Structure formats: C-alpha cells, structure tokens
Amino acid sequence: MAAGDAKNRFGMLLDTAQREPVTIEKHGRAVAVMLSAEDYDALEAMKLEALRAKVERGLADADAGRVTDASTVFAELDAMIDRAED
C-alpha cells in the first residue's frame, strides 16, 4: 500500500492489518509494515525465545571452556579491516 493511501484510508489499513501484515511503501520502496497487536506480540515472543536460546548456548559454551579471548577477536577484526582496505 502506498503511504498516501495508508494515510487516506487509515481505517481500512487498520482493518486489513488485523487479518494480515500490510507493507507500506514510499516512492515504491517498502518503509514500514503494519500488523495486528496479536501478531506483533507473537513476533516479539519469538525474538525473545531466540535470544534466550542464544544466551543458553553461550553459557553452555563458557561452562565447557569454549571461549575466545576478546583481544583475539579484536585482532581478527583489525586484520579483516586491513584486508578490506587493501
């Protein structure tokens, strides 16, 4: 839906978003998506669950001694930057 249409037909936009996500475009480029509060809550719950799983994996790695010293990571990043600049 074009941004102008979204503005002019906001009631319809709200109704449609209750059934399915609506992409809003400006100058032909997607700039926003409107979705129902229920869908938003479900999306946030999935993101939180994924984050929890990553934290649990990280803690398990740390408990098992699978860790990398921060100075090693920074050295690797510096090397990558140097290669990219060449």
Side-chain angles (χ1 to χ4, degrees):
M1 173 178 281
D5 290 339
K7 177 182 172 187
N8 294 330
R9 300 178 182 168
F10 191 68
M12 183 193 75
L13 174 61
L14 290 174
D15 291 341
T16 303
Q18 296 307 304
R19 295 186 304 277
E20 62 185 334
V22 180
T23 302
I24 300 170
E25 298 179 350
K26 192 169 187 177
H27 305 293
R29 184 176 59 88
V31 295
V33 176
M34 180 174 272
L35 61 151
S36 69
E38 181 179 318
D39 286 347
Y40 176 79
D41 289 343
L43 181 62
E44 289 297 303
M46 286 188 291
K47 286 170 44 180
L48 181 58
E49 184 57 35
L51 179 59
R52 283 185 177 137
K54 286 180 182 182
V55 168
E56 288 175 10
R57 283 193 304 273
L59 291 172
D61 284 344
D63 288 344
R66 295 183 301 265
V67 295
T68 302
D69 184 86
S71 61
T72 302
V73 173
F74 290 130
E76 291 174 4
L77 288 172
D78 286 339
M80 289 172 61
I81 291 169
D82 289 343
R83 284 191 301 272
E85 291 175 344
D86 290 339

